[in-house]
Amino acid sequence: MDDLKAKYLGLIGDASDEGALEALRVQAVGKKGEISLKMRELGKMTPEERQVAGPKLNALKDEINSALAAKKAALADAALDERLRTEWLDVTLPARQRPAGTLHPISQVSEEVTAIFAEMGFSVAEGPRIDTDWYNFDALNIPGHHPARAEMDTFYMHRAEGDNRPPHVLRTHTSPVQIRAMEAQGAPLRIICPGGVYRADYDQTHTPMFHQVEGLAIDRDISMANLKWVLEEFCRAFFEVDGVELRFRASHFPFTEPSAEVDIRCSWEGGALKIGQGDDWLEILGSGMVHPKVLEAGGIDPSQWQGFAFGMGIDRIAMLKYGVPDLRAFFDSDLRWLRHYGFSALDMPTLHGGLSR
């Protein structure tokens, strides 16, 4: 046993890596190792022989296992020391770049629109997305038989039996905010009303939830000429094109009189839309002079005050500016496509040209 002890303690001491050490463990105390085989021979010995050999074999096995564990720890310490000598970290180097978040394109375009109108003196007004049908329809001169009031077009809130409150809807436009602003602030008034709206529609250019921005300006002698100037200035700044040309077409909206659809001159070359040039026209918004009944609903005397209003889809103008082909992509797509369309949360056009940072 002394020979075995000397043999394996010497081999363990000379082991240069953990692989060699593991091989020695198997050779010495593994299932078929030398020491393990000798322990199996105890069964063939007499009781007197076992009483002498057993303790010595157990002591030898324990000593070999202890030597193996000590050598393994020593090899691990040596490997760590080597790594510490050869590896280094320069704490003065800049940290790894982390992916930066960005605004959703609708939020970005909303901020662009707000910044442009703010330079023309428009403040932002907000209101509830769930509103009474009076604010959403009646106050805007939309009669009870109008198709927009049908349940196939408008989302009506559920009413429990015995609920005597007026019907509530998910607002179909941000025009109710105009009525609330007139009630709260009176005239003169100059506001835009951006926000989410809801209609029962879904296709390439319509979604059940989308975003609008509406504008309202009220003063004593305001006119369609003022409306035209405001819209031209906005389109020039938003689309970043100097030569903007707008065309007003007579139309009908219950809340304005006269009313006009507004088209912008454009061209389609190779499937790409170019604003401000060409022989084509593209409808971008609706507008008109505020109907006297709407002024009255907002608590403003139409014999003393008049105003203009306009409304456009934020999602729609974002599609036009950035070349997004499907409106639904704003809501049900992986937003990693943003950079493909050129969205950058830091770039925001201003009324006077250039980008604000």
Side-chain angles (χ1 to χ4, degrees), residues 110-171:
S110 296
E111 291 195 3
E112 293 177 16
V113 170
T114 300
I116 293 169
F117 280 114
E119 291 196 22
M120 289 188 277
F122 287 81
S123 61
V124 175
E126 297 180 328
R129 295 198 180 200
I130 299 176
D131 216 332
T132 66
D133 65 347
W134 186 86
Y135 278 105
N136 197 79
F137 295 122
D138 295 315
L140 295 163
N141 197 36
I142 300 175
H145 58 78
H146 195 281
R149 301 185 75 146
E151 291 189 358
M152 67 180 67
D153 292 316
T154 298
F155 294 105
Y156 282 84
M157 306 303 294
H158 173 73
R159 301 177 71 189
E161 186 176 350
D163 186 348
N164 295 320
R165 293 178 300 170
H168 282 66
V169 300
L170 291 177
R171 66 183 183 189

Side-chain angles (χ1 to χ4, degrees), residues 1 41-42 44-55:
M1 291 190 191
E41 295 176 359
L42 290 173
K44 301 177 182 179
M45 298 180 183
T46 64
E48 293 77 11
E49 291 173 330
R50 281 200 300 273
Q51 196 171 8
V52 175

Side-chain angles (χ1 to χ4, degrees), residues 223-252:
S223 69
M224 288 284 285
N226 303 122
L227 168 65
K228 184 174 183 292
W229 179 85
V230 165
L231 296 179
E232 285 177 345
E233 289 296 298
F234 167 76
C235 290
R236 184 177 295 114
F238 180 77
F239 292 110
E240 301 176 61
V241 174
D242 290 332
V244 168
E245 185 178 350
L246 299 182
R247 181 178 70 177
F248 285 65
R249 289 181 292 107
S251 185
H252 169 72

Side-chain angles (χ1 to χ4, degrees), residues 103 107-108 110-116 240 321 344-350 353-357:
L103 290 175
S107 299
Q108 177 179 327
S110 296
E111 291 195 3
E112 293 177 16
V113 170
T114 300
I116 293 169
E240 301 176 61
K321 180 173 181 177
S344 170
L346 297 178
D347 295 343
M348 186 178 296
T350 66
L355 299 174
S356 63
R357 297 284 182 178

Side-chain angles (χ1 to χ4, degrees), residues 86-100:
T86 58
E87 293 182 4
W88 59 279
L89 174 66
D90 187 350
V91 295
T92 66
L93 290 173
R96 291 187 181 93
Q97 255 191 336
R98 293 189 176 185

Side-chain angles (χ1 to χ4, degrees), residues 14-306:
D14 294 337
S16 59
D17 55 52
E18 290 194 15
L21 193 65
E22 177 61 16
L24 284 173
R25 185 195 69 78
V26 172
Q27 182 182 343
V29 295
K31 288 184 178 180
K32 297 183 180 180
E34 281 191 80
I35 297 174
S36 298
L37 291 176
K38 285 193 172 294
M39 295 191 74
R40 292 179 186 176
E41 295 176 359
L42 290 173
K44 301 177 182 179
M45 298 180 183
T46 64
E48 293 77 11
E49 291 173 330
R50 281 200 300 273
Q51 196 171 8
V52 175
K56 290 183 178 180
L57 282 172
N58 283 325
L60 175 62
K61 182 178 180 182
D62 290 342
E63 191 168 355
I64 296 300
N65 280 329
S66 297
L68 288 167
K71 184 64 175 182
K72 184 175 182 180
L75 288 172
D77 289 343
L80 179 59
D81 289 341
E82 182 64 22
R83 284 186 60 191
L84 292 175
R85 280 195 300 271
T86 58
E87 293 182 4
W88 59 279
L89 174 66
D90 187 350
V91 295
T92 66
L93 290 173
R96 291 187 181 93
Q97 255 191 336
R98 293 189 176 185
T102 184
L103 290 175
H104 188 281
I106 299 303
S107 299
Q108 177 179 327
V109 172
S110 296
E111 291 195 3
E112 293 177 16
V113 170
T114 300
I116 293 169
F117 280 114
E119 291 196 22
M120 289 188 277
F122 287 81
S123 61
V124 175
E126 297 180 328
R129 295 198 180 200
I130 299 176
D131 216 332
T132 66
D133 65 347
W134 186 86
Y135 278 105
N136 197 79
F137 295 122
D138 295 315
L140 295 163
N141 197 36
I142 300 175
H145 58 78
H146 195 281
R149 301 185 75 146
E151 291 189 358
M152 67 180 67
D153 292 316
T154 298
F155 294 105
Y156 282 84
M157 306 303 294
H158 173 73
R159 301 177 71 189
E161 186 176 350
D163 186 348
N164 295 320
R165 293 178 300 170
H168 282 66
V169 300
L170 291 177
R171 66 183 183 189
T172 59
H173 41 194
T174 55
S175 302
V177 182
Q178 297 183 26
I179 302 296
R180 292 180 176 275
M182 285 189 276
E183 289 178 335
Q185 302 177 40
L189 185 66
R190 195 182 304 181
I191 59 168
I192 59 168
C193 314
V197 297
Y198 306 84
R199 295 179 190 174
D201 208 350
Y202 188 69
D203 58 35
Q204 189 173 357
T205 57
H206 299 86
T207 55
M209 189 277 286
F210 57 102
H211 300 81
Q212 277 189 339
V213 57
E214 297 188 9
L216 173 67
I218 300 175
D219 214 319
R220 294 197 181 274
D221 55 0
I222 208 162
S223 69
M224 288 284 285
N226 303 122
L227 168 65
K228 184 174 183 292
W229 179 85
V230 165
L231 296 179
E232 285 177 345
E233 289 296 298
F234 167 76
C235 290
R236 184 177 295 114
F238 180 77
F239 292 110
E240 301 176 61
V241 174
D242 290 332
V244 168
E245 185 178 350
L246 299 182
R247 181 178 70 177
F248 285 65
R249 289 181 292 107
S251 185
H252 169 72
F253 304 114
F255 29 81
T256 53
E257 181 59 41
S259 303
E261 301 276 8
V262 180
D263 304 332
I264 192 167
R265 184 180 289 279
C266 65
S267 68
W268 298 90
E269 295 181 8
L273 174 67
K274 294 186 177 180
I275 300 293
Q277 58 180 278
D279 298 321
D280 294 324
W281 295 91
L282 181 67
E283 178 188 325
I284 58 170
L285 60 92
S287 65
M289 299 300 291
V290 181
H291 197 289
K293 289 185 178 180
V294 175
L295 292 173
E296 287 178 351
I300 293 176
D301 184 355
S303 67
Q304 300 295 320
W305 304 91
Q306 59 190 32

